[in-house]
Amino acid sequence: MTTQALSLPQANLEMVLWQVDADSMSSSDLYVWLNDLGLPHEVTIRLHELATYTKKSGNKVLAVGKIILLKIIEFVKAHPNLATGIAIGVAVGLLVRSVPVIGPVLAPLAAVLGITVGAIAGHRLDQGYRQVDGIVGVAQDIIELAKLFFQLLIDVFNAVFINVITA
């Protein structure tokens, strides 16, 4: 997969489209929607706080937090098995932590391995793969995931926020 860097006009267009999506959902609608997803109340509150983060770029105020939150939720909806695999990996890390004496020592390693293996297995399921291709296939999946999710966000934010005014 080859990616091209976005030009400033392309990045501005992407940001405007994302801003329109963010503006189409009011803060209260977003809060209700997060609650309806079945998330714990504490998580809903934290995500709602993230959604209220804004940044000024030129003469526009962009709802950066809401854009990021909507993109993350969009990504999770597009890759449900990946999200499940990561959740299972986190659970493995938490379970290992509860083992007396050696649990706290092994928990970080178990969490890293569990999340990595869970994410890769989930991604393979999302892509329709049924068998493991070896370490090269695993590495390719990790690279593909990172590129898919972060490259567009990085390009757009870098291009749009070149002249950001910080207070």
Side-chain angles (χ1 to χ4, degrees), residues 137-151:
V138 170
Q140 288 173 339
D141 285 341
I142 292 171
I143 293 167
E144 181 184 1
L145 283 173
K147 283 184 179 178
L148 285 175
F149 186 63
F150 292 113
Q151 189 59 50

Side-chain angles (χ1 to χ4, degrees), residues 19-97:
Q19 184 64 37
V20 168
D21 286 342
D23 289 342
S24 69
M25 184 176 285
S26 72
S27 182
S28 58
D29 288 342
L30 179 65
Y31 184 76
V32 169
W33 184 59
L34 290 171
N35 272 330
D36 290 345
L37 287 176
L39 297 172
H41 184 67
E42 296 80 19
V43 173
T44 302
I45 290 171
R46 296 291 180 215
L47 291 176
H48 190 257
E49 287 175 7
L50 169 66
T52 61
Y53 181 75
T54 60
K55 194 71 174 173
K56 184 174 180 168
S57 175
N59 59 356
K60 296 178 260 182
V61 176
L62 301 172
V64 175
K66 194 182 287 186
I67 290 169
I68 291 171
L69 179 61
L70 291 173
K71 288 295 165 188
I72 289 172
I73 291 171
E74 181 181 307
F75 182 81
V76 169
K77 284 183 177 181
H79 304 281
N81 292 319
L82 172 70
T84 303
I86 291 172
I88 291 170
V90 169
V92 166
L94 292 174
L95 286 173
V96 170
R97 181 180 298 275

Side-chain angles (χ1 to χ4, degrees), residues 89-90 92-98 102-114:
V90 169
V92 166
L94 292 174
L95 286 173
V96 170
R97 181 180 298 275
S98 67
I102 62 170
V105 175
L106 295 177
L109 178 63
V112 167
L113 289 175

